[in-house]
Amino acid sequence: MSEYGRRAVSDDYQLGQVLGTGGFSVVRIGVRKEDRLQVAIKTLKKYGYGTGKGKRKGKGHAGSEARMWQAEALVTNEILVMMRIVDYVSPHPNIIHLLDVYEDDDAVHLVLELCRGGELFDRIVEQERYSERDAATVVGQIAAGLAALHHCGIVHRDLKPENCLYADPHPEAPLKIMDFGLSHIHNVTNAVVGVFGSMDYMAPEQLNMSGTMPANDRWSLGVILYILLCGYPPFRAKTTRDKQRRILTGAYSMEEESWGCISLEAKELIRGLLSVDPFVRPSAAELLSHPWVSGESATRELIHEAVFIRFQAFNARRKFRAAAYASIVRTKFQLRTKYLKELIGDCILTGAELEDL
Ligand SMILES: Nc1ncnc2c1ncn2[C@@H]1O[C@H](COP(=O)(O)OP(=O)(O)OP(=O)(O)O)[C@@H](O)[C@H]1O
């Protein structure tokens, strides 16, 4: 971090292939010139995509002004949180490590450790099938990361499967929590970003903006666990309003047939994590010592085949939506089907899905 603000990122790193794009960022592979170390370089545009710095000074459209404000707030937020992680958390096996920061007129570049193992749900889909024990290992790794973050006052606020990447393709590789753009540090950052993030994983108190607290992340973990064990999300509805209502009242069920094969301990854990009252949810430390999470009671028996098939379908839809969302934000709501198709890659879309977009 010693060179922050003095050198250009291209002085020290060769920039390579794009790994992914987010609403306000692009992530590329980088190679450190000094020792050929491969890294991920996340470039956060200070004023958002498609809005040059010059425009900021002019009388911009109200919408683009708001977007620039959002971009600046998100960049500042992410840097503050990453710095806090460097000071108080790193190195931690379950939290992405920040190696360096560079800044130029338009962007901030975060040099991060490179995760080559893919997203959490993608790896699970690649396996033939999985067991409760595998799900418990995932919960244990995320809980360990959350315990470290919460201990130093950081609430992630956007915990979801796409923000959990495996360090490398090895089966025992650690799972890392990343993407701290919406995170909050107690007494340091303003929760400036309001209701952003994915509603599917958002706790009731986040949705009605009544509280930013570590328990927010434990609800999100409960949603991830629920999906792992049945292949669909707990709060499903035809309209956003109905989904909001379900989340706010904790209206989900574990009655469907395949839940019959899931252990009582796992169901109890889900009930705890998905309690509408945040103070009832188990703490990250309690999670780590929970017998199901620590592996003493979680079975190695393979999960029901129907669950795995549903999980695959859910993951394909999820990837499609994420690609579409990134496209919408980055093209400022002007959808271009050709670009969308490029983004979506292998994900097969029906005509109706494309039309919907
Ligand atoms: N350290 C990393 N190693 C490997 N790939 C990464 C790394 N960081 C990010 N990526 C890839 O880049 C993509 C975008 O990164 P990231 O989610 O951090 O951007 P974002 O703008 O915060 O996204 P969003 O708008 O969806 O929150 C990720 O989905 C991931 O595939």
Side-chain angles (χ1 to χ4, degrees), residues 38 108 152 168 240 346 352:
Q38 290 207 331
V108 173
C152 67
D168 60 65
T240 304
D346 291 333

Side-chain angles (χ1 to χ4, degrees), residues 19-25 27 40 42 96 112-115 119 163 165 178-179:
L19 288 167
T21 50
F24 296 90
S25 65
V27 183
K42 179 166 180 171
I96 192 86
L112 301 161
E113 70 177 302
L114 177 64
C115 294
E119 287 179 18
N163 288 339
L165 259 62
M178 49 170 258
D179 194 357

Side-chain angles (χ1 to χ4, degrees), residues 161-181:
E162 25 302 55
N163 288 339
C164 299
L165 259 62
Y166 281 98
D168 60 65
H170 191 273
E172 304 299 322
L175 183 61
K176 308 229 168 214
I177 300 175
M178 49 170 258
D179 194 357
F180 293 89

Side-chain angles (χ1 to χ4, degrees), residues 20 33 44-45 63 69 75 79-80 89 104 113 121 137 157 169 193 217 234 323 330 349:
K33 291 179 182 171
L44 297 145
K45 284 271 179 186
W69 177 83
V75 172
I79 293 166
L80 281 174
V89 182
D104 51 43
E113 70 177 302
F121 280 8
T137 304
R157 293 183 82 232
V193 279
D217 295 337
R330 291 202 60 208
L349 300 179

Side-chain angles (χ1 to χ4, degrees), residues 211-271:
T212 294
M213 56 183 98
N216 301 160
D217 295 337
R218 300 198 288 267
W219 171 283
S220 310
L221 179 55
V223 175
I224 293 174
L225 174 58
Y226 183 102
I227 298 170
L228 283 171
L229 296 182
C230 71
Y232 54 85
F235 305 102
R236 300 175 311 285
K238 290 221 166 80
T239 63
T240 304
R241 187 178 285 254
D242 198 24
K243 192 187 278 187
Q244 278 173 344
R245 187 189 57 76
R246 283 170 183 268
I247 294 171
L248 291 171
T249 56
Y252 70 94
S253 131
M254 291 191 278
E255 297 304 316
E256 183 270 324
E257 205 186 329
S258 63
W259 283 104
C261 308
I262 300 297
S263 66
L264 290 177
E265 290 94 334
K267 287 192 227 178
E268 261 318 296
L269 190 59
I270 290 177
R271 279 191 203 99

Side-chain angles (χ1 to χ4, degrees), residues 8 20 48 73 78 80 96 116 135 141 159 174 212 223 300:
E78 185 152 359
L80 281 174
I96 192 86
R116 307 156 186 277
Q141 298 207 52
L159 185 67
T212 294
V223 175
R300 284 190 195 278

